[in-house]
Amino acid sequence: MKPGILAIDIGGTGLKATVIDDRGHMQVERVRVATPHPCPPALLLEKLGEMVKTLPAYDRIAVGFPGVVRKGHVYTAAHLESPEWIGYDLAGAISKAASGTPVQLLNDADLQGLALISGKGLELVMTLGTGIGTGLYRDGELMPHMEIAHHPIHKNRTYDEYLGEAERKKIGRKRWNKRLARALDLMTILLRPDRIYLGGGNSARVDLKLPKHVRLGSNDAGLEGGAFVWNTALRSAAGKPVPQSDTGVPVPEGGAAGKSAAKKAAKKAVKTVAGKTASKVASKAAKKAAKKAVKKAAA
């Protein structure tokens, strides 16, 4: 069996891991352990090391983390309760522990959203768990991460404090759902998204009659999204489709080499378009349009 992708979902309540294929399908049942509290980096690495021992072979790693992350480093980790996380190179540490296996590290909500979105229009993912996570996408492209969870929603209380797991246990399911409805209304007013996806463990506790643009997603998307991080053949790391040229031929990215490939593809399109045109007049018009595409692709 071809080595897969080790997908790791780090949550404030649980740590999950499995190996997925390039389409996001699990090759084995996920492994889950409770998240220790506090959970400093060394302890997390220890727990992850124990979890992956029984998993099949992998040659890439995708990690979702509950906080702000950039270029493999952690900048916030409120739910892990350890100051050691600030500035920590988590991607580097996991790669080192896995004998140099390459690692992609994203915010957990951002990663989960890659397995839920359609790639069309403005889409928002909200994860409901220990805290509240969000990921925003425009035509499949991941937008800069916003920690909406720490923004006030009611009487200076943040989304985490208003809708998080601790508050849900305190106020009960019925009141929690009413608060979720309010949060969804505010997100709709603020962002006007075409679709909102609800994920995370507490999405199973949603009893609302959801508006047409709001959908429930699989909690396993937090692991399945790892495939889209590494699927660069058709999408960028953020899930953005490869740009299309005027002729409908995908434009390879990558400087001069990409432009050269695009030029060859567009020239091929010239012959195809012109060859299928019966009328000489139409053929000339087709050639002219396709040649214009050559110049644009090579520019």
Side-chain angles (χ1 to χ4, degrees):
M1 182 182 292
K2 176 185 175 182
I5 301 166
L6 173 61
I8 299 172
D9 185 4
I10 300 170
T13 304
L15 308 175
K16 293 177 285 186
T18 189
V19 172
I20 58 177
D21 62 20
D22 289 340
R23 294 172 296 173
H25 298 159
M26 293 188 189
Q27 296 183 343
V28 65
E29 286 293 319
R30 71 180 189 183
V31 180
R32 185 188 187 282
V33 300
T35 303
H37 288 278
C39 185
L43 181 55
L44 175 72
L45 292 173
E46 179 184 327
K47 291 291 183 182
L48 293 179
E50 294 171 358
M51 293 172 66
V52 304
K53 284 180 180 179
T54 59
L55 296 179
Y58 55 87
D59 57 9
R60 293 152 290 168
I61 302 174
V63 183
F65 187 86
V68 176
V69 296
R70 287 199 187 113
K71 296 182 179 180
H73 290 71
V74 174
Y75 288 88
T76 67
H79 299 297
L80 299 183
E81 303 168 1
S82 172
E84 295 179 36
W85 282 110
I86 310 306
Y88 186 75
D89 181 8
L90 180 57
I94 292 178
S95 178
K96 183 178 180 180
S99 303
T101 304
V103 175
Q104 291 273 14
L105 176 69
L106 268 72
N107 169 268
D108 56 349
D110 289 342
L111 184 65
Q112 184 167 154
L114 295 176
L116 295 175
I117 60 173
S118 69
K120 298 178 181 179
L122 189 65
E123 299 177 284
L124 174 70
V125 172
M126 287 184 67
T127 56
L128 311 171
T130 305
I132 307 302
T134 56
L136 186 64
Y137 312 80
R138 183 178 61 194
D139 293 330
E141 181 180 6
L142 177 62
M143 297 289 97
H145 183 71
M146 296 184 293
E147 283 289 86
I148 293 177
H150 301 296
H151 190 276
I153 180 174
H154 181 69
K155 294 182 178 180
N156 291 323
R157 303 186 71 194
T158 66
Y159 281 78
D160 267 3
E161 296 166 334
Y162 189 71
L163 277 174
E165 174 64 359
E167 189 68 5
R168 184 197 65 79
K169 288 180 177 179
K170 180 180 176 181
I171 65 175
R173 187 163 178 159
K174 186 175 181 179
R175 286 183 64 192
W176 181 82
N177 270 272
K178 287 183 177 179
R179 291 187 178 187
L180 175 60
R182 170 178 162 78
L184 290 172
D185 285 344
L186 289 174
M187 287 295 99
T188 299
I189 292 170
L190 177 65
L191 299 169
R192 290 293 175 186
D194 296 296
R195 280 165 296 279
I196 298 177
Y197 302 89
L198 300 178
N202 279 340
S203 62
R205 296 183 169 91
V206 175
D207 298 328
L208 298 173
K209 183 178 180 181
L210 297 172
K212 290 183 179 180
H213 70 293
V214 182
R215 305 171 187 175
L216 292 175
S218 167
N219 191 33
D220 287 335
L223 295 167
E224 295 164 352
F228 294 91
V229 173
W230 284 105
N231 183 11
T232 56
L234 298 176
R235 297 172 177 269
S236 70
K240 184 179 179 181
V242 175
Q244 298 287 312
S245 72
D246 290 347
T247 60
V249 180
V251 179
E253 297 176 301
K259 289 181 181 179
S260 176
K263 189 173 181 179
K264 288 180 181 178
K267 281 185 176 179
K268 185 178 180 180
V270 172
K271 295 180 182 179
T272 302
V273 173
K276 289 183 179 180
T277 306
S279 168
K280 289 184 178 181
V281 174
S283 180
K284 286 181 180 180
K287 285 182 178 180
K288 186 176 180 181
K291 284 180 178 179
K292 186 178 180 182
V294 173
K295 293 180 180 179
K296 282 190 176 181

